[in-house]
Structures are given as C-alpha cells and as structure tokens.
Amino acid sequence: MEILFDRTFRYFNGGIFSATGKGTCLSVVSSAEVSGAWKYDKPVCTDVTAALLSVVRREFRPLVLPYGRTMNLGSLSITLYPSGPLPGGAAALLQDQDGQTLFCPGCFDDSVKLPRASTLAVSVTIEESPSEAAALEDLVGSVRTAIKAGMVPVIACNPFGVARVVCSALSVAGIVVREHKGVARFNRVWRLRGYDAGACVGFRGGRSTGGTVVMPAHASLGVLDQSIPNPWRIRVRRAGDPAGSVDSPDRFDQTIVLPGLASLPALLKLTSRVRPTTVVLSGDGAGAALAALADIGIQAVVADTVRQFRLL
C-alpha cells in the first residue's frame, strides 16, 4: 500500500521517507492550503477541505472521511483527527496489527484528544510565530497606521485559509475590507460552512482609499493593483511556508507570520501527548528538532528521498 501525505511523507510497504510529487495509490490531504492539493491522485480529506479545493477544480472528487471515522484498507486502517492551522485540517493515523503512525501537518489545539502512536511523522520549522490572535492584532495595528498616513494597505495572502481570518479580523476592527475575486470565491465557501469571513466588498480597482485590499499571494502585479495610490504592501503567510518569488523583499513593505508548521516547542509538546518511540522529521527545522529530541531520550530520524525507515 502506497500513501502520500501532503507531498511530504510517502508511506510504502511499512516504511516512510520524504518525497514530492503525486501519489500512485492514495493521497491524504491535510488541508486546502497544501500547495497543489487539487492535483492529487485518489485524494482523502475532510468535507471542508473538499469544498475549498473543488472551487479550484470542479472535477476534484475526493473520498471525504469525517474526523474519528476509520477507513480500512486490507490490514491497514486510516483515521483522521482535527489539526491546525485552519478548520478542516487533519492529521492521519495509520494503523495495523504491528503499530501506529501519526502523520501531523502542523499546530494542534490542546483540546483535541490525540491517539497514542508508536511513530510520529511531523514537519517542523525553525521559524517562530506568535499566536494567531497576536499576529492578527499586529496586522490590524499596521493597517490602521497606514490608513491614517494616507496609504492603502494591500495585503497578499493564501486565499484558501489565511485570507478568511485576515478579512474577519479587519472587518471586526471596523476597517473597510475590499476582497479580490480570487479571495471572494473561497470566503464564500467559508461563509456557507458557517465560518466568519468578515463583511467585505468587492475590489475592482480604483483608489480604494480609506480601507484595505486583500489579494491572493500568487496574483501578479497588474492593472487592478497598480491603480492603487500610495500602497503599503503587507505579506501575511504561515510559519514554514516555502519561500519563493512571491516573498521577495522588494515586493513587500512588511511581513506578518501566522502559525503554520510545528515549531520546536510545539513538537516537544506534541511528543509528550502522543508518546512515540520514534519520530520521523522533515522541514527546515528537522536538524534542530533531531538534537532536541535526542536530549530527552527520544529516537528520531530525518527523512529524505533515498532512505526508507521501517515503521510497521
């Protein structure tokens, strides 16, 4: 049985290693923010993730697996558990008669009861971030300051999930929010699912003074964006997001980081809850995490595209 988790970990014949690309058997998608998730082969995800990804690709037809319900694949079973950093996110527990492996995509809510697992597979980042509430408070303050200075804050963010909390926080603060159509189509799904995405108006270009504009991070600088006088460009992203041309320092005046991949403190807390005997690591924080886990007597390995680690 071959299973790909977030294009980060590939499970095959009881082993796990780091991988990129499509799965050939089953692909577990932890959240809609996973890059290119709508292209996955035979995807498995929650209903919220499915609704968001179907906006991008109408033909996206995943197997929807509710939290806590187990799917059996021969001797192997898969169960999803709530996980951050956005609603609909999921961790996956793979289990057979010899053991359990928990694949974790990011931060966890302490109120979620996680299962014990003999192996924990997790992506870790060295990047620290404040709580989501604190980061959004900083964003609101920056936007207010820019507006008072006669500037127009232009916020670039992931339209699947980050844009929703950005629009909600700014709207609650009484700031006029103009959403790009690339953001509006996902916010519409969030509202239909009962989540607050703020009271927004459509952005169709123009001066947009006295408020802020929220745009998809991947949107190129075009006619709509360039029509804004005195823009103050803010990038809002998640900790551990891969750097790219969209994050070039000459494009943005400010960057605000929300919780994303597990930080080192979050990983240590997670291991105390799951109590694994082995931890398999990936991400830019894997090296530091390897040393920290060794200090507390937990066996850990860093996955790569060559070595396969026996798990079950």
Side-chain angles (χ1 to χ4, degrees):
M1 174 63 64
E2 184 173 354
I3 299 175
L4 187 67
F5 185 79
D6 281 2
R7 291 190 182 174
T8 301
F9 293 113
R10 186 183 296 276
Y11 171 95
F12 183 65
N13 289 340
I16 184 172
F17 56 99
S18 186
T20 57
K22 295 183 179 180
T24 58
C25 181
L26 199 68
S27 300
V28 179
V29 181
S30 70
S31 80
E33 289 185 335
V34 175
S35 178
W38 59 89
K39 302 175 184 177
Y40 272 33
D41 293 331
K42 301 179 179 65
V44 177
C45 62
T46 65
D47 59 340
V48 173
T49 298
L52 290 165
L53 292 178
S54 64
V55 172
V56 182
R57 182 184 174 197
R58 291 184 179 180
E59 297 78 18
F60 184 76
R61 295 291 184 268
L63 173 61
V64 173
L65 188 61
Y67 293 132
R69 182 176 297 177
T70 298
M71 176 176 66
N72 295 313
L73 300 167
S75 62
L76 187 69
S77 66
I78 300 178
T79 310
L80 300 185
Y81 291 85
S83 169
L86 76 161
L93 179 71
L94 272 61
Q95 184 171 0
D96 75 357
Q97 65 271 19
D98 296 321
Q100 313 84 27
T101 301
L102 183 64
F103 291 83
C104 297
C107 49
F108 272 88
D109 186 333
D110 290 342
S111 65
V112 175
K113 185 177 181 180
L114 296 175
R116 289 284 304 276
S118 53
T119 301
L120 174 65
V122 59
S123 295
V124 190
T125 180
I126 57 175
E127 193 171 24
E128 295 287 347
S129 65
S131 68
E132 184 171 278
L136 292 174
E137 185 178 351
D138 290 343
L139 174 64
V140 169
S142 295
V143 167
R144 282 176 169 160
T145 299
I147 292 174
K148 287 180 180 178
M151 306 182 78
V152 178
V154 179
I155 302 169
C157 56
N158 185 312
F160 293 95
V162 173
R164 180 190 72 83
V165 295
V166 165
C167 292
S168 176
L170 295 172
S171 180
V172 168
I175 296 169
V176 176
V177 180
R178 297 180 175 89
E179 57 181 1
H180 184 275
K181 63 181 181 181
V183 169
R185 59 180 183 160
F186 295 105
N187 278 348
R188 191 176 303 117
V189 174
W190 284 115
R191 294 185 185 102
L192 289 173
R193 292 276 164 172
Y195 294 93
D196 180 31
C200 306
V201 296
F203 172 65
R204 297 177 177 82
R207 299 181 60 82
S208 301
T209 54
T212 187
V213 176
V214 181
M215 302 185 68
H218 63 268
S220 60
L221 299 179
V223 176
L224 289 180
D225 187 32
Q226 293 174 354
S227 67
I228 300 172
N230 301 320
W232 177 258
R233 304 187 191 278
I234 304 173
R235 173 76 164 107
V236 182
R237 60 175 180 81
R238 295 208 183 272
D241 280 356
S245 59
V246 72
D247 290 313
S248 57
D250 58 341
R251 185 179 177 189
F252 296 102
D253 302 297
Q254 182 181 8
T255 298
I256 290 178
V257 181
L258 300 179
L261 292 184
S263 63
L264 182 54
L267 171 64
L268 296 177
K269 191 173 183 179
L270 184 59
T271 56
S272 70
R273 296 175 63 189
V274 177
R275 290 181 282 178
T277 56
T278 302
V279 178
V280 182
L281 303 161
S282 73
D284 59 33
L290 187 69
L293 291 171
D295 288 342
I296 58 175
I298 296 179
Q299 179 183 352
V301 291
V302 177
D304 59 35
T305 56
V306 177
R307 292 174 296 172
Q308 180 170 283
F309 301 100
R310 197 72 191 174
L311 299 182
L312 301 178

